[in-house]
Amino acid sequence: MKTKPHLTTERQKMLNGDYYNAFEDNLIKDRKKAQKLCQKLNALPNGSQQKRLKILKQLLHADQGVWIESPFRCDYGYNITLGKNFYANFGCVILDCNLVKIGNNVKLGPNVQIYTATHPINPEARMLGKEMAYPITIGDNVWIGGSSIILPGVTIGHNSVIGAGSIVTKNVPKNVVVVGNPCRIIKAIE
């Protein structure tokens, strides 16, 4: 008896951290849906808490007390989970080609960028349009300073602070302050 070959969708490959084709029809459709919801969110005036939360709940997995200032952009939305009392200042971008899990009481300064997506170093693979994505996890009570960038595959531990303008290339333990490019631990939080 022959078994059917296991078929893996581009979305499954994306979430597995394998090479995937970002220009596959279903992924394009999902990105367009997220773009429309981001446009609706960004068009709302400040102070429209209930309307904003309604759109955010259509776009991503949001708990209570979530506030995202406009403009906000993401790739898919459905790969983002936000804990309670989340706040993102103006200009936040989350490239959620893989899972982005953000804990409770997390604050993002203006222009924070969170990138799960990456491309091969090999130029031939890049020219073929291959992409990969790796999950990002941000623990509870984290504060990420303005214009910081969180790179693919990073985990940030509970209670840590990322200084403004930092590039986070590696995991950050809990209870530390990190700054720089690439960021380094400058002190423990007691």
Side-chain angles (χ1 to χ4, degrees), residues 6 10 43 47 50 57 77 83 88 90 98 111 115 151 161 164 177 186:
H6 178 69
E10 295 304 307
Q50 292 306 314
K57 286 189 178 245
F90 306 104
N98 206 311
N111 300 310
Y115 305 151
L151 293 181
V161 175
V177 176
I186 61 165

Side-chain angles (χ1 to χ4, degrees), residues 31 34-35 38 59-60 72-78 80 92-96:
R31 283 196 307 275
Q35 287 170 0
C38 285
L59 182 61
L60 42 80
F72 170 73
R73 293 296 302 264
C74 65
D75 277 330
Y76 299 97
Y78 53 61
I80 302 170
C92 180
V93 173
I94 301 177
L95 302 184
D96 64 312

